[in-house]
Amino acid sequence: MLEQLGQDPNVAVYCTSALHHPQSTGSRHFIVIDALSIGTSNVLGVGKSCLLLQFTDKRFQPVHDLTIGVEFGARMITIDGKQIKLQIWDTAGQESFRSITRSYYRGAAGALLVYDITRRDTFNHLTTWLEDARQHSNSNMVIMLIGNKSDLEARREVKKEEGEAFAREHGLIFMETSAKTAANVEEAFINTAKEIYQKIQDGVFDINNEANGIKIGPQHSPANQNMPSGGGGGNQGGNCC
Amino acid sequence: MFSKQRTWLSGALWKPKNPHSLEHLKYLHNLLCKNQQVTEQNRSLLVETLRSISEILIWGDQNDSSVFDFFLEKNMLSFFLRYLQQRCGRYICVQLLQTLNILFENIRNETSLYYLLSNNHVNSIIVHKFDFSDEEVMAYYISFLKTLSLKLNKHTIHFFYNEHTNDFALYTEAIKFFNHSEAMVRIAVRTITLNVFRVDDKAMLRYIRDRTAAPYFSNLVWFIGNHILDLDLCVRHDMDHRSRDRLSDLVAEHLDHLHYLNDILCIGLDTLNLVLIHHLLNNLFIPLYVYSLTKRKKFDDPQDDRKHVSSVVSLFLLSQVFLIMHHRQLTQQLAEVIFHGDIFLTQTEGMQNSPKAGIREFRAPAESLEKTLENNRPKKRHIQTAPPSVGQEDGAVGETEEGSSTFYLTREEHTDTVSSPSTEGALSPISEVCSADTELSSPTQNSTDEEKLIGLSHRMAIPSGMPDHPLPFTLENRPYLETIFNALECMENDYSALFALCLLYAIGHNEGISQTLLDGVMMPTERSKSKDNYNILLVERLIRIIEQACQSGSKVRLATLEVSIKLLKQLVVREHRSYLQDRHLACIENARECSTQRLRNFYKSEEIFLDMFEDEYREMKNRPLNVEYLMQDASILLPPTGTPLTGIDFNKRLPCGEVERTRKAIRVFFSVRELSLCLMNETEAQLPLTKEDNCIKVNDVLDLNNSDLIACTVLMRESRRQERRFLVIDPMQLILVEPDSKRLGWGVVRFVGFLQDVEVSGDKDDSRLLHVVVHKPSSSIHSRSHPILSARFIFDDHIRCMAAKQRLLKGRQRARLQKMQAIERLLDIPPAPDGTRSRSIPIPGRSHPVRPTSSSSSTTSSPVSTQSQGRGSRRISAEQKRHLQAKAAQRSKSRQVMGPSMGTGLRSGVSPARDGVEMGEEATSAMAVQSLNQNISSNNSSGSERMSGSSRSSGRLVSAGSRGNQGDEARLEIPLEDLSTSSKQHRSLSFERARLARLAREAGVRTNHGHHQAVHHTLMMRSHSLSPHRSRQETSSLMSRKDPRRQSAPQTLATSFKAPSILQTILSQSGSDRRPQITCSGSSSDDSPDSGRARSWSGGAPKTLLPASAPSLSLMDSIGHSRRSISAAMLLPPERTTVVRRCEEEEEEETSRSTTLEVGSGDQGKSTDSALSSDETGPSSSDITPSSETSLSDLALGSEIRPSASTRDRSTSSQLTQLAQLVQEHYAYSCY
């Protein structure tokens, strides 16, 4: 996955978000949300696993000569003062098994549908992905459309307007991000979580029904809360300060 | 935090500036060396170190290979393992797992990967006992395994699977979590197993099959089964739809399982599949699903405490199984049990002690998977034989220890019992084959399976579907199939019927089930070459459902109707050709008439009706029912409800309120109409109401010379764009054009919208301004919100503005009116004669009211003419097969017969052509009257007011009879069709009468055609297609006369033909034995129910064709307009003729073409003169005289006689002309 030659990482973002990250506040119970990242698979990647790593573990700084991604990541975030643990599962590599795709869609409350703005084919595939997602998933599933690699403006093949139009047409949230510069990565995931949280508040998602990809998380001891690596990877990101 | 660590460290070690470098890795290695023990203090440091290592390694993999060399050289993975073994808690574990995840996921250099895997550290990490109660550890752990499984291939597999120690930690550790409480974990486990199975490594696969397959699959099956029990519980206790969410989760979960199992089967590992299929069938599908079918039926034993689900649930689950799984061996065996019953069960019931009795049972595995795997875990190689073989699966494991051959033997033994114990002998060769071939290549398996089946069917005397010796189909000894068939009866509701339909549909669509097996129960599918042998019992039940759906207050939901239609098509339609017997076709036609009738009751000339009508059509076309999706919906598992508050889709529940009832009536109408057209191989000509092809589209260039153009400025509401356009109003569309720069007076279309969707309003401040909104023809009812145009039109002055407004309003009105009229034509609603409605006035550009009315009426209401067409083709084909040799000779003979008769037809057609058209009509109507007259003459008490009624009823009688007749014919010629005992009685009653009537009709065609040659009409389409069949029918009747059994029928006719009241004779002959009151009754009110009953072959609820106003009115109308209708009919699409011709054989082409004309004109006359069912009376019954003579004389005397016959025809008909006029007057009176 040879990715773009981007600018230097924008580390400021992490500092602020690290400050925002609550260590342990309020009620111990938190909501666990399972979400998926979908899009053309990793081999000619659209960078979704990099996005995922970007979001879940801030200690990995985007560097121009390094491309790292993960297939699973979890992170604590706070929305309206409520602790929410966002677990994101990458669906890459499992497309050949219908049962797996099906199950994944059904078990998730949200999905990040990622395409690469420098490759039109990944954008053209969106319809298929979306159809798949809509068919198998719970109708309430929140889908965020992400145009990744926004730092490669020069090689852009898909206009931002096109992405916006597609999202509007299909009722998705839209954002352009860059795993390289970390632009909008935080926002993309948090907005998705917000939307899901809103649906929980509205009673659209039943928090007691785990099949939707939402559940009440177990109580964590404060000691553990202080040193999660993956789950609270954000609080390790303060090394830039 | 890190910065603090750095300061703390800075004194001790030199830290390189560049985090991505070999130096940094060396530095980190040093750190690890110094901190080999995890403590409170160094924990954070270690975590960060581990994380950095993964980062550097990936960087190295991508940029600098020396980094990796160093890592391997220092064996840094062993540090990882050591940390794990210190049980240092979650913190380190999670970091380690993440690091490993990142390593294995991002490394692209294959050598690096091999090095990483080479020293077995990874396997040690896999078997490490993490704290799996911590969900985060669990998630990272299973993701790690999944990442590894994605790296599996022929080469890497050896790092995970150790052939010598028979150790495969990655797989065995993963499957332990197959029933983990977290869905995501379960999914990951399934992914891992699939990824493992996909690797083509024989030794590994053998290991999996021998050691793990049986325990894993038996546990999996038990897990699935328990889900099913939960599901059943949920259905039983939730009549109020309260826990729909939970139910839908359970259903989805079941689907997930089925898809997973199917994915395994699809990988195509035959040996593994055998084990899986064995467990699935014997421990789940058969004992839990199939056995439950007959629960609460007579087979139910109260003492039987075996676990089961309700039969509705089992129907639902089985349909899912057949919809998803297509594996040959699995579905074949399962279908076999369903079709033929499980002899094993019935025989061994009561002998619970017998060793085999326990084989098919849904029960818990002897021990948990984890335990089995622990026991299996090879410390030494021979320990595994130790586990006592409790139950079958463990037995299998034990036996396969030495070599795989014994395993197959045990398997085959099971198959044996699966099929039938009596077939043991037949199966022995297979076992040999199997045991000889250890790898059990699939071709061998296939062939043996086939053998087995054939052997089976012979032994069990099950109809093997060989077309030559079909055995009667009964439901005896088929308890499961019987349940399914019984479920099709919608007594109170269609709750279980829907599932039974879906199940049968799924079985028919399942590629895994051999056609031989399906032929055994006479279920033809797409794969069958011919569909002559369909299961009458089943088809009749389907027709019942369709009929029920067409009745008011029906409990049949739309989905049920649509699936029955699908299933019916699957059974009888092949490549646009219908094999449906005529009596069945007649029922469908009847249902279609009912649905039309019912929709007529809902018809309102309100705007909303049109919108609904078009919306429903769009909905039906855009979202056709998909059975697989339908069966994914848990909401249908609960008893049908009527309230939309449940959120259940409209087609999956009963209608609620008047609007929904109207919608349903519309949908039923569309569906049944479509079915009927399909069965008759006709294309839809009247729907949709808007033909896209005829519409003007954007960017078209139009010649607008001499058109009315109004210039205006269009101001878009949203974009605020302002454009100068010319407004053109077409009959259907609103068009905005821009002048074409190239041609003067031409314009380029910039916008089009349907006038019917236009909303116009003036502006109170500006008299030159109009607000125009064009709504989108919505694809669903809920999305009407987005208009395709919302703008202000600014005109030059207020006069132009007013003109535009008026035209838009009028145009909208007219466009809608036109469509309403199209609907009326579809529904045979006559334009009101009193002129109260504006639509009774003919509108320019609109085709004449009569034309469509008559044409559609002949489709909807004259089953006689249409069905004979369908039947002609069908029967002939059967005949041709049967008399392949004899055919040629007979055909030539029949051609002789045909030729002259045609000649006369033509000649007689020309000579009275003085006033061809007029004459034609009158003659036909005269014939209509003849029978009527006779009927009435026999019943002197009937007054003239009743005439129309009685004529109609007698027409019905004849048509009903003729339908029965076809059944009879079919029985005589194709004995296999007479397999359903239930309908036998009904049919035999109507046979004789029907046969006569059919001959009568044939003859009627003959007589008529002579006179109406000049008449050309839309109906031609139908009659065209009729003709070839007709002519062949004669061939067949010739042939059939050779059959001594059939001699009687023509003879009867021959004697009766000269009698003046032939209809009377026929009716009394045929009808007296059963329903004499029909024959003599002349009153329409008495007759209609009777005739209705006569029509419905099954003797079920009488079909009310009641609201008689429509027929009589349309009849009236058609008399008035008949001439115009004729002229309007010239717009006949010519391609119809070619369609027809395709069915003909070349040798007969000439003949049939000329008949085409004749018959066409005959029918034409019929339908112009009387629009509805009453018209059959005329041609079909009254013409018996000449025609039977013709055909008889063909037989007895040869062709010389024919001219005289036709002379007679002519004179008769001219006499009848006057009678016809008389009757028309009566009709007219009775109408007003």
Side-chain angles (χ1 to χ4, degrees), chain B residues 657-672:
Chain B
E658 194 65 12
V659 173
E660 288 201 341
R661 270 196 284 279
T662 312
R663 280 177 66 195
K664 190 184 168 195
I666 294 172
R667 284 288 276 276
V668 170
F669 170 75
F670 286 144
S671 301
V672 180

Side-chain angles (χ1 to χ4, degrees), chain A residues 209-226:
Chain A
N209 182 359
E210 293 192 9
N212 284 339
I214 294 172
K215 61 171 181 272
I216 309 273
Q219 206 166 345
H220 277 229
S221 67
N224 269 352
Q225 280 266 323
N226 269 332

Side-chain angles (χ1 to χ4, degrees), chain A residues 65, chain B residues 14-25 56 59:
Chain A
D65 55 355
Chain B
W14 174 75
K15 183 172 184 285
K17 282 269 185 304
N18 184 0
H20 297 141
S21 63
L22 184 58
E23 285 66 42
H24 194 194
L25 186 63
I56 299 169
W59 175 85

Side-chain angles (χ1 to χ4, degrees), chain B residues 761-771 792-795 797-798 801:
Chain B
S761 55
D763 191 286
K764 55 180 181 293
D765 300 326
D766 190 347
S767 62
R768 297 178 305 140
L769 199 143
L770 281 184
H771 296 277
R792 279 181 296 173
F793 287 21
I794 305 158
F795 296 90
D797 53 42
H798 99 275
C801 178

Side-chain angles (χ1 to χ4, degrees), chain B residues 865-1138:
Chain B
S865 66
T866 49
Q867 85 199 29
S868 62
Q869 163 206 346
R871 152 165 150 269
S873 64
R874 207 190 65 70
R875 211 169 48 102
I876 294 299
S877 76
E879 198 121 23
Q880 280 173 342
K881 263 176 232 128
R882 234 152 288 280
H883 307 274
L884 212 63
Q885 273 81 35
K887 193 182 69 180
Q890 279 168 345
R891 170 108 40 78
S892 67
K893 190 172 162 193
S894 81
R895 229 188 310 165
Q896 278 174 9
V897 174
M898 290 297 294
S901 84
M902 214 80 58
T904 43
L906 281 165
R907 259 178 281 134
S908 59
V910 176
S911 55
R914 327 161 286 238
D915 192 1
V917 176
E918 196 78 18
M919 177 64 186
E921 288 158 35
E922 283 170 3
T924 22
S925 46
M927 289 177 208
V929 174
Q930 187 193 31
S931 67
L932 166 67
N933 204 21
Q934 286 159 350
N935 204 7
I936 286 163
S937 71
S938 72
N939 187 354
N940 292 327
S941 63
S942 61
S944 57
E945 311 86 63
R946 291 177 178 173
M947 271 178 97
S948 71
S950 70
S951 95
R952 202 180 312 130
S953 66
S954 60
R956 293 267 169 73
L957 252 179
V958 172
S959 70
S962 60
R963 207 172 306 124
N965 155 46
Q966 290 134 19
D968 176 36
E969 300 238 327
R971 190 179 65 114
L972 287 173
E973 291 158 15
I974 314 161
L976 12 141
E977 287 177 351
D978 187 22
L979 294 169
S980 120
T981 44
S982 75
S983 62
K984 211 173 206 164
Q985 204 179 359
H986 285 291
R987 271 187 288 145
S988 63
L989 287 175
S990 52
F991 286 157
E992 199 174 3
R993 184 185 60 167
R995 195 180 307 136
L996 298 177
R998 190 183 65 84
L999 283 169
R1001 203 176 53 255
E1002 264 174 42
V1005 172
R1006 283 282 191 80
T1007 356
N1008 281 346
H1009 59 59
H1011 306 288
H1012 312 301
Q1013 223 163 349
V1015 187
H1016 190 58
H1017 196 268
T1018 9
L1019 241 205
M1020 280 290 283
M1021 300 178 196
R1022 185 173 304 282
S1023 30
H1024 266 310
S1025 46
L1026 251 174
S1027 55
H1029 305 316
R1030 242 341 119 71
S1031 65
R1032 293 224 205 136
Q1033 221 162 37
E1034 279 166 351
T1035 327
S1036 62
S1037 60
L1038 262 179
M1039 287 189 278
S1040 60
R1041 265 175 222 126
K1042 293 196 157 184
D1043 186 341
R1045 280 179 300 173
R1046 311 197 65 210
Q1047 282 288 0
S1048 57
Q1051 230 114 63
T1052 331
L1053 256 184
T1055 45
S1056 59
F1057 130 70
K1058 287 198 173 82
S1061 59
I1062 174 127
L1063 177 70
Q1064 177 62 36
T1065 322
I1066 291 165
L1067 287 178
S1068 55
Q1069 269 176 352
S1070 53
S1072 57
D1073 49 344
R1074 178 172 79 275
R1075 205 173 272 141
Q1077 74 276 13
I1078 295 176
T1079 324
C1080 42
S1081 82
S1083 138
S1084 63
S1085 56
D1086 290 346
D1087 271 0
S1088 41
D1090 267 339
S1091 55
R1093 212 172 303 150
R1095 290 187 125 207
S1096 74
W1097 45 273
S1098 60
K1103 270 281 143 48
T1104 42
L1105 289 169
L1106 275 181
S1109 59
S1112 53
L1113 278 174
S1114 68
L1115 183 65
M1116 217 296 299
D1117 182 81
S1118 60
I1119 293 163
H1121 296 297
S1122 53
R1123 201 171 306 167
R1124 258 187 291 166
S1125 83
I1126 287 150
S1127 58
M1130 299 302 185
L1131 313 150
L1132 173 82
E1135 61 268 30
R1136 286 320 190 92
T1137 355
T1138 55

Side-chain angles (χ1 to χ4, degrees), chain B residues 256-292:
Chain B
D256 279 356
H257 288 138
L258 290 183
H259 278 291
Y260 171 55
L261 296 169
N262 190 47
D263 276 344
I264 298 179
L265 293 173
C266 285
I267 295 177
L269 306 169
D270 291 318
T271 53
L272 191 67
N273 286 353
L274 283 178
V275 185
L276 177 57
I277 290 170
H278 164 72
H279 282 287
L280 272 180
L281 282 178
N282 295 327
N283 298 340
L284 184 68
F285 288 165
I286 294 175
L288 192 59
Y289 295 15
V290 177
Y291 289 175
S292 296

Side-chain angles (χ1 to χ4, degrees), chain B residues 832-861:
Chain B
D834 54 2
T836 43
R837 290 196 213 167
S838 53
R839 68 167 164 277
S840 64
I841 304 155
I843 288 162
R846 181 201 154 176
S847 48
H848 195 272
V850 168
R851 179 184 63 128
T853 313
S854 57
S855 71
S856 64
S857 76
S858 68
T859 5
T860 53
S861 64

